Amino acid sequence: QVQLVESGGGLVQPGGSLRLSCAASGRIFSIDDMGWYRQAPGKERELVAGITKGGITNYGDSVKGRFTISRDNAKNIVYLQMNSLYDEDTAVYYCNAKNVLTHLRRFLGVWGQGTLVTVSS
């Protein structure tokens, strides 16, 4: 069993910052890519940022230069530092882990339950 638990969401004013965390629990040997996606009301889920086990990152065009993804491989935690937030960043943010190897089996993809980020004055 593998679980991803996000934290750090909340209400922030435009121009503000938030830091999201996502911790993977279970008897995990390794995780390949980890990432953050978001889904705003009435819109499809989109990639926000991704990071490989080796630390190579990629970002959605709308967040480049404002958001930074990082991870702690020893603790199986991925972070998303969000700066200069706009109203349009309001969404539920989901953590994702790909190719999770545990003592029992390999999970191709695991999702967290999501954390709400609201940017509003």
Side-chain angles (χ1 to χ4, degrees):
Q1 185 83 9
V2 174
Q3 285 188 316
L4 300 180
V5 179
E6 300 105 333
S7 60
L11 174 65
V12 63
Q13 292 187 340
S17 298
L18 277 178
R19 189 192 195 207
L20 304 183
S21 299
C22 170
S25 64
R27 292 183 62 182
I28 297 170
F29 294 149
S30 68
I31 303 174
D32 282 354
D33 298 348
M34 300 187 79
W36 290 93
Y37 291 73
R38 68 185 181 187
Q39 188 165 20
K43 295 188 177 181
E44 294 186 353
R45 191 173 296 191
E46 63 175 357
L47 173 70
V48 176
I51 185 168
T52 67
K53 187 162 53 177
I56 298 172
T57 60
N58 66 292
Y59 296 91
D61 288 341
S62 62
V63 307
K64 285 179 181 176
R66 300 188 297 123
F67 291 10
T68 302
I69 188 170
S70 60
R71 66 188 282 180
D72 183 331
N73 289 333
K75 297 180 179 179
N76 294 319
I77 298 176
V78 63
Y79 304 97
L80 185 68
Q81 178 66 43
M82 304 185 294
N83 299 328
S84 302
L85 284 160
Y86 306 143
D87 292 355
E88 305 88 86
D89 295 315
T90 295
V92 178
Y93 284 70
Y94 297 91
C95 177
N96 176 261
K98 291 183 172 61
N99 203 21
V100 182
L101 180 61
T102 73
H103 70 298
L104 286 177
R105 54 165 286 194
R106 185 182 300 274
F107 295 83
L108 294 181
V110 183
W111 289 94
Q113 82 288 350
T115 185
L116 177 62
V117 172
T118 303
V119 184
S120 175
S121 55

